[in-house]
């Protein structure tokens, strides 16, 4: 995609992905890469930040003979996701209004 993506939007995408189903870093990064060209070195600090804020928890699960770290959303994370969804809807409506010519100063 052509448009740059902010770290807060990446946070929203991460929370939205994990809200639907627990996931691990590589899977999350590959899903986000559909919309934005991010590197794992960008994603993991965001995951750590979300975990430290209490939005995510982690657990390990065996996969092909080794442990894989999974991320799960917390109740606080679900509340944050709902808040960010509302913010995104408002932001998107303003952008669409400007692009479509409905909003003008």
């Amino acid at each position: 995609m052509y448009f740059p993506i902010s770290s807060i939007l990446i946070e929203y995408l991460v929370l939205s992905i994990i809200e639907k189903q627990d996931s691990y870093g590589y899977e999350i990064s590959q899903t986000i890469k559909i919309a934005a060209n991010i590197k794992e070195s960008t994603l993991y600090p965001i995951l750590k930040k979300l975990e430290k804020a209490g939005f995510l928890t982690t657990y390990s699960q065996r996969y092909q003979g080794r442990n894989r770290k999974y991320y799960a959303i917390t109740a606080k994370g679900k509340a944050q996701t709902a808040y960010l969804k509302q913010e995104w809807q408002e932001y998107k409506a303003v952008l669409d209004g400007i692009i479509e010519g409905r909003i003008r100063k």
Side-chain angles (χ1 to χ4, degrees), residues 14-54:
V14 167
L15 289 170
S16 295
I17 291 165
I18 298 170
E19 184 179 41
K20 306 298 182 277
Q21 179 179 329
D22 294 359
S23 191
Y24 54 96
Y26 181 75
E27 182 179 56
I28 295 165
S29 72
Q30 293 307 298
T31 302
I32 292 174
K33 282 183 181 182
I34 295 168
N37 189 21
I38 66 162
K39 296 182 172 109
E40 282 78 16
S41 61
T42 301
L43 178 65
Y44 285 102
I46 291 172
L47 287 167
K48 190 171 280 295
K49 176 185 171 189
L50 293 171
E51 184 180 4
K52 187 175 180 181

Side-chain angles (χ1 to χ4, degrees), residues 85-104:
K85 181 178 183 177
Q86 179 61 39
E87 289 290 311
W88 174 253
Q89 293 299 330
E90 291 173 18
Y91 181 69
K92 185 177 170 296
V94 170
L95 289 179
D96 286 344
I98 293 169
I99 291 166
E100 294 165 5
R102 293 180 282 111
I103 298 175
R104 193 174 190 135

Side-chain angles (χ1 to χ4, degrees), residues 58-75:
T58 62
Y59 62 91
S60 292
Q61 189 169 329
R62 297 288 286 171
Y63 179 77
Q64 295 183 348
R66 43 180 250 197
N67 282 338
R68 180 182 275 172
K69 184 177 182 178
Y70 282 83
Y71 295 87
I73 196 161
T74 64

Side-chain angles (χ1 to χ4, degrees), residues 5 44 57 81 98:
I5 190 164
Y44 285 102
T57 60
T81 306
I98 293 169

